[in-house]
Amino acid sequence: MNLKVASYNMRKAIGTDRRRSPERVLQVLREVDADIVCLQEADRRFGQRVAVLTPHLLEEHGDWQSVGLGMRASSMGWHGNAILVRKSARVVACEQLHLPALEPRGAVMADVAINGVTVRIVGMHLDLSGLWRRRQAAAILAHVAGNAERLPTVMMGDLNEWTRAAGCLRDFGAAFRLAETGPSFHARRPIARLDRIMVSPELRITACGVHHSPASRVASDHLPIWAELAPQ
């Protein structure tokens, strides 16, 4: 099994030029060319939480299908968290995770059969508050650990954590290995490693990084991060 995963806070497709362009986000995703992508801020924030990447756009411009996580008919994700997988992949199970928070926050999980293996994918966008981030991390870790079926697991998202030595990254790091992807925020001049990919001991990170391109520097205020994985 060789698998490429990616995480991208697409900022509702509003670029650093303040224009909304879903097509530009899809261009970046095509450049990254990952088998599985966790998206943050994939839906509009207000009203019906309409998906920014519509099924029509995905069908016409991408090689991915959206995992059925939306609670509304017009939404792609849960509190903006969404998962895209190759059209050739099979989604075995999926669910939304309710997280403790002062403002609406959630995480998403899917078991995906792809490239000859079934992996568990967790996507998240954690709070700006360090205290609530740690509570949310604890809830996610407890949910994953409490699942009756154990699978190789990849957790990805915008963790909003600036330092690896403390907070939720230390909590996640007790059981998961962090990919050394590099700074991904702000897209025009990345200095912060707010976006993270973490894998369980069954998986090995063979390569990882941040995707820099003319399109990615303008499509969102975050750059996408990626990792290539193989069995241990």
Side-chain angles (χ1 to χ4, degrees):
M1 182 274 290
N2 289 289
L3 186 68
K4 187 174 185 179
V5 299
S7 179
Y8 190 22
N9 185 331
M10 53 178 279
R11 199 194 182 193
K12 308 171 193 67
I14 298 174
T16 53
D17 58 359
R18 300 185 182 180
R19 291 198 306 109
R20 189 189 303 275
S21 175
E23 293 83 2
R24 197 162 50 187
V25 169
L26 282 167
Q27 178 185 342
V28 175
L29 292 177
R30 287 194 300 270
E31 292 172 356
V32 177
D33 196 29
D35 300 302
I36 299 174
V37 183
C38 283
L39 296 172
Q40 301 86 50
E41 300 192 25
D43 298 327
R44 298 197 186 202
R45 185 173 183 180
F46 301 108
Q48 294 299 309
R49 311 293 204 273
V50 176
V52 177
L53 300 179
T54 64
H56 172 74
L57 278 174
L58 282 176
E59 181 66 30
E60 185 173 342
H61 298 287
D63 186 34
W64 302 276
Q65 57 179 312
S66 175
V67 176
L69 294 160
M71 296 294 286
R72 296 175 173 85
S74 56
S75 300
M76 173 187 283
W78 167 246
H79 292 303
N81 294 285
I83 301 175
L84 301 181
V85 300
R86 294 281 191 199
K87 291 177 180 177
S88 58
R90 179 169 59 91
V91 179
V92 178
C94 64
E95 63 179 304
Q96 302 92 0
L97 279 63
H98 295 263
L99 298 182
L102 287 175
E103 59 181 13
R105 291 283 176 175
V108 291
M109 189 167 80
D111 296 347
V112 181
I114 186 170
N115 296 354
V117 69
T118 300
V119 293
R120 179 161 292 144
I121 303 296
V122 180
M124 67 190 79
H125 188 183
L126 301 189
D127 207 281
L128 294 173
S129 159
L131 173 63
W132 286 101
R133 281 198 300 272
R134 295 200 69 184
R135 291 176 177 174
Q136 291 160 3
I140 292 168
L141 288 167
H143 190 87
V144 171
N147 202 293
E149 184 180 9
R150 299 300 178 93
L151 291 171
T153 301
V154 184
M155 301 199 297
M156 301 183 279
D158 179 356
L159 273 58
N160 273 316
E161 187 70 73
W162 287 71
T163 174
R164 179 172 178 166
C168 70
L169 284 178
R170 184 172 59 185
D171 300 334
F172 282 123
F176 285 78
R177 183 179 302 108
L178 276 67
E180 298 294 340
T181 49
S184 56
F185 181 85
H186 185 276
R188 288 187 182 270
R189 188 178 180 184
I191 59 171
R193 301 186 182 204
L194 302 185
D195 305 284
R196 295 284 183 165
I197 296 173
M198 304 168 285
V199 302
S200 64
E202 299 90 346
L203 296 171
R204 176 167 50 94
I205 301 164
T206 59
C208 63
V210 180
H211 180 73
H212 296 266
S213 73
S216 69
R217 282 190 284 272
V218 71
S220 170
D221 59 348
H222 287 246
L223 297 171
I225 60 172
W226 59 270
E228 294 178 359
L229 310 176
Q232 279 288 13

